[in-house]
Amino acid sequence: MTTARAKFFPRIEPWLLDASITFVLAVTGVVALFVYTDPNGIEYAEADALGVALVLVITVPLIVRRQHPVIVGLGTAVATLPFLAVDYAMPTAALVLLIAVYSAANYAGLGASVLVLVVQSAVSVGYTLVSADRHADQQTMDTGAGLTISALVILGVWGLGRGMRNRRLYTAELEDRARRLERANDVEVRAAITEERSRIARELHDVVAHHVSVMTVQAAGARRALHRDVDRTAVALEAIEEIGRSALAEMRRVVGVLRTPDGDDRGARPATLAPQPGLGDLDLLVEQVRDAGLPVDVTVDGEPRAVPVGVDLAAFRVIQEALTNTIKHAGPSTAAVLVRYLPAEVHVEISDDGRGVAASLDGRRPGHGLLGMRERVALYGGTLAAGPRRGGGYEVRAKIPYDSNGAMSR
């Protein structure tokens, strides 16, 4: 509907509209000054240069009626007084008066618009009374009726201007609110995108760090056994191949959300959108770690239960990252994993008896893995503690709470 109206009624620039109105009224007023004949036989003063000047002085200020509504309203009223004193013919005077009142009501404050209304009304009353006195013989309407009609028309135009002002201000407020909401929405979208990128970065780090670490250990073992034990080398290479495929599959799951039907990868194979891993996949993870040469003992305390998918993934990633760090930093060691199911919490503990992550860092700041674990656990209101164990080794402990009533099975 709006498009159709814009097509048949194109929007005119305000300055062009005001200039057109002013031009038409000025030309009409000057021409009427010379050729106008009153139907009631009223005779007006003969047109001259002073009359033309007064018509222009009264009419031309309308071109800036939006920018200076009060000045225009008061100025046209004052300029009308000498015009009336000489008694020139100007049929457009009433229209100029109404436009000035409307402009003050629409574009000025309440007090200023009322001032213009009072002044213009006084001029209208004066014009009516003076005209009635001068041309008493030619009057066809009662003076009182004329004053009443003039007052009602002027007051109605003023009310129309105030109504348009209120509507314009309300529309401007709605537009401003819409702009603020749009800006707020943009901020929220950018924050959501940043959070999603962080989540994907954590997922990629966990996937790549774990699998590449295991593959590196397997490759080192294969290299050492290459000329001494062909069968062991073949087993290590098979393990590397299997772990590499598993890594690719998990990476496809992680970045699959970035693929769109209309994206640049239309010709690419569809991403695998299988469920994210969880504690149910712990046996597979432990098997991979054992194949890499790290003995792992797994203990499950309590009855395994359905936990929210996010908590399940977070617990799995903590175990995965901790075992990956053990492979990378602990040296020859053994590891132990404890998963404890509580009514509204999941506890995971991962420990090893190696030289520890702190020793391998040698004073350097920990990498993104430990920070990623803390962020994952904190996201669900949990806590994570990591540090050296008494007697040697390293330990990671995480507690992740959840709403047992809202837990969803995978």
Side-chain angles (χ1 to χ4, degrees):
M1 183 66 181
T2 303
T3 305
R5 290 184 62 183
K7 180 178 179 181
F8 293 104
F9 302 100
R11 183 177 182 274
I12 302 176
E13 292 295 331
W15 67 268
L16 181 59
L17 177 61
D18 292 342
S20 301
I21 292 175
T22 302
F23 177 77
V24 171
L25 289 177
V27 172
T28 303
V30 171
V31 171
L33 190 65
F34 290 91
V35 303
Y36 178 74
T37 301
D38 187 83
N40 298 320
I42 298 176
E43 296 183 0
Y44 293 97
E46 186 177 351
D48 54 15
L50 177 61
V52 173
L54 290 176
V55 169
L56 295 179
V57 169
I58 295 173
T59 308
V60 170
L62 292 180
I63 198 170
V64 292
R65 66 186 184 89
R66 299 175 195 264
Q67 295 81 5
H68 308 286
V70 178
I71 295 176
V72 171
L74 299 178
T76 53
V78 173
T80 305
L81 297 177
F83 191 88
L84 294 177
V86 183
D87 197 23
Y88 289 112
M90 185 181 176
T92 58
L95 189 56
V96 172
L97 179 150
L98 295 177
I99 292 176
V101 171
Y102 171 85
S103 301
N106 195 348
Y107 302 107
L110 178 60
S113 67
V114 170
L115 175 62
V116 172
L117 172 65
V118 171
V119 173
Q120 289 285 9
S121 298
V123 171
S124 176
V125 170
Y127 174 83
T128 302
L129 295 177
V130 170
S131 177
D133 183 63
R134 284 178 177 173
H135 312 287
D137 297 338
Q138 292 85 12
Q139 291 292 331
T140 59
M141 180 182 294
D142 182 71
T143 302
L147 290 175
T148 302
I149 293 175
S150 298
L152 291 177
V153 171
I154 294 174
L155 188 60
V157 169
W158 181 85
L160 176 63
R162 294 306 297 178
M164 293 299 295
R165 174 184 173 83
N166 293 336
R167 179 181 177 183
R168 176 169 51 83
L169 294 178
Y170 178 70
T171 302
E173 181 182 356
L174 290 180
E175 292 176 351
D176 181 64
R177 185 182 302 176
R179 285 192 294 268
R180 291 199 304 269
L181 290 176
E182 185 176 358
R183 288 194 296 268
N185 182 65
D186 290 341
V187 172
E188 292 178 359
V189 169
R190 286 194 294 269
I193 292 175
T194 301
E195 176 61 26
E196 183 65 12
R197 287 176 176 173
S198 299
R199 186 191 68 80
I200 293 174
R202 289 195 299 268
E203 292 294 326
L204 288 176
H205 173 272
D206 292 342
V207 171
V208 173
H210 169 71
H211 289 89
V212 171
S213 296
V214 175
M215 291 168 64
T216 301
V217 173
Q218 292 281 19
R223 178 179 57 79
R224 288 193 295 268
L226 180 61
H227 301 292
R228 294 178 299 173
D229 191 339
V230 177
D231 292 337
R232 182 178 177 184
T233 301
V235 171
L237 292 176
E238 289 178 359
I240 292 173
E241 180 183 6
E242 183 63 28
I243 293 171
R245 289 175 177 173
S246 177
L248 288 175
E250 284 206 51
M251 290 179 67
R252 288 194 185 100
R253 284 198 294 267
V254 173
V255 302
V257 295
L258 301 178
R259 296 180 181 268
T260 59
D262 300 326
D264 295 334
D265 54 353
R266 283 182 226 176
R269 294 174 58 189
T272 302
L273 299 178
Q276 293 279 30
L279 293 175
D281 302 298
L282 186 57
D283 291 340
L284 179 60
L285 173 64
V286 170
E287 182 181 349
Q288 293 177 352
V289 174
R290 287 171 178 166
D291 290 342
L294 176 64
V296 180
D297 180 40
V298 179
T299 303
V300 178
D301 185 9
E303 185 68 23
R305 64 180 66 222
V307 298
V309 176
V311 173
D312 201 21
L313 174 62
F316 177 86
R317 291 302 190 199
V318 169
I319 297 173
Q320 184 184 54
E321 180 64 26
L323 292 177
T324 300
N325 287 338
T326 299
I327 294 174
K328 292 166 60 176
H329 304 296
S333 62
T334 59
V337 175
L338 170 63
V339 179
R340 179 176 291 112
Y341 289 95
L342 298 177
E345 278 189 339
V346 173
H347 294 187
V348 294
E349 298 180 10
I350 308 93
S351 59
D352 64 66
D353 56 5
R355 58 180 180 146
V357 177
S360 65
L361 291 176
D362 192 22
R364 292 173 293 156
R365 294 180 60 185
H368 296 289
L370 184 57
L371 297 178
M373 284 193 289
R374 292 188 188 280
E375 289 182 4
R376 285 184 182 278
V377 174
L379 181 64
Y380 297 96
T383 58
L384 182 138
R389 298 173 59 201
R390 285 185 181 180
Y394 200 78
E395 184 176 37
V396 176
R397 298 184 303 276
K399 298 180 181 180
I400 311 176
Y402 63 90
D403 184 1
S404 57
N405 294 326
M408 298 177 59
S409 60
R410 297 177 61 84

